[in-house]
Amino acid sequence: GNSVTQMEGPVTLSEEAFLTINCTYTATGYPSLFWYVQYPGEGLQLLLKATKADDKGSNKGFEATYRKETTSFHLEKGSVQVSDSAVYFCALSDLVDSSYKLIFGSGTRLLVRP
Amino acid sequence: DAGVIQSPRHEVTEMGQEVTLRCKPISGHDYLFWYRQTMMRGLELLIYFNNNVPIDDSGMPEDRFSAKMPNASFSTLKIQPSEPRDSAVYFCASSYPYNEQFFGPGTRLTVL
């Protein structure tokens, strides 16, 4: 079945450090891939997405590239800020079986220290 | 657009009481989803609707949980009777077909 695996957190970085959060997936078809972010006390917000292989999603300095050969969608940012502290969720949607729902990873908590 | 609206934002109740959570999706969205988030189990999909019809309720934990969508602009998730283990944050989300989901702010439920 479809699944998403994320690296365990928490990830603790100093401000301006480089960020990578790993995400790999298993899917039967050709899924769309998403990164969502959840700030404390809020709902999930879409951060970026990619709908086909080799697409790069980007937003607010974050990037992720859809790698079909490695079934990965790693999230990166060149210089993190304290305000990036949040929980990040990788997700996929696979329409092969005609049921539309997102499969989420377990989430990775990021803490950025000043 | 106001986004997905959920009410109440916080609910504290005693074990055995009925709890009703409410959701207003974004206008025009065909899909509506109910999720539950806990520290132990993470984010779980409970049920989702397409054009007001329940499509997949396999995530609903047990018969104490029920969800309805009487029209395109309103959905409820009901727990009767509630138990302490139901304490969680419940999210509603909506979307167009084949697009990203937009989440509401959530309802934090505490069952004493």
Side-chain angles (χ1 to χ4, degrees):
Chain A
N2 297 338
S3 66
V4 175
T5 302
Q6 288 182 238
M7 60 188 291
E8 292 283 333
V11 174
T12 303
L13 297 173
S14 297
E15 204 165 25
E16 299 184 0
F18 184 85
L19 168 71
T20 299
I21 299 178
N22 290 337
C23 171
T24 57
Y25 67 90
T26 302
T28 53
Y30 304 96
S32 294
L33 301 174
F34 306 85
W35 277 101
Y36 281 80
V37 59
Q38 184 179 28
Y39 298 103
E42 299 183 10
L44 280 70
Q45 303 173 26
L46 179 69
L47 181 60
L48 53 84
K49 68 177 182 180
T51 58
K52 62 183 186 296
D54 299 325
D55 269 3
K56 177 185 284 187
S58 61
N59 186 27
K60 299 181 181 179
F62 290 89
E63 294 182 342
T65 300
Y66 189 144
R67 302 287 189 198
K68 186 177 178 183
E69 64 277 12
T70 55
T71 62
S72 65
F73 193 55
H74 304 322
L75 183 68
E76 297 181 337
K77 186 175 185 182
S79 177
V80 293
Q81 306 299 312
V82 173
S83 57
D84 294 327
S85 298
V87 180
Y88 293 81
F89 292 89
C90 185
L92 71 82
S93 69
D94 189 350
L95 303 177
V96 171
D97 61 355
S98 301
S99 73
Y100 176 55
K101 57 186 180 182
L102 292 179
I103 308 298
F104 283 92
S106 57
T108 302
R109 182 175 300 278
L110 170 65
L111 177 61
V112 180
R113 300 190 184 280
Chain B
D1 199 316
V4 176
I5 299 173
Q6 291 188 247
S7 64
R9 291 295 309 276
H10 302 273
E11 177 79 30
V12 180
T13 191
E14 293 188 346
M15 183 174 62
Q17 296 298 305
E18 178 180 294
V19 175
T20 299
L21 311 182
R22 296 172 176 80
C23 174
K24 177 178 170 55
I26 292 173
S27 177
H29 281 187
D30 299 284
Y31 286 83
L32 184 139
F33 305 81
W34 282 102
Y35 292 89
R36 178 172 68 176
Q37 186 177 41
T38 62
M39 290 293 292
M40 291 296 294
R41 300 173 67 91
L43 193 65
E44 304 173 276
L45 176 64
L46 301 177
I47 185 171
Y48 78 95
F49 296 82
N50 179 23
N51 291 321
N52 314 335
V53 176
I55 302 300
D56 184 350
D57 65 354
S58 59
M60 295 287 263
E62 49 197 275
D63 292 345
R64 297 185 297 106
F65 286 70
S66 62
K68 295 182 179 180
M69 191 165 185
N71 57 62
S73 59
F74 183 66
S75 177
T76 59
L77 178 67
K78 185 175 294 186
I79 308 173
Q80 166 63 17
S82 57
E83 297 182 3
R85 61 192 167 121
D86 301 330
S87 297
V89 181
Y90 291 81
F91 289 104
C92 177
S94 69
S95 76
Y96 291 115
Y98 316 125
N99 272 277
E100 64 269 22
Q101 295 177 19
F102 292 81
F103 282 73
T107 295
R108 181 174 296 278
L109 173 65
T110 303
V111 183
L112 303 174

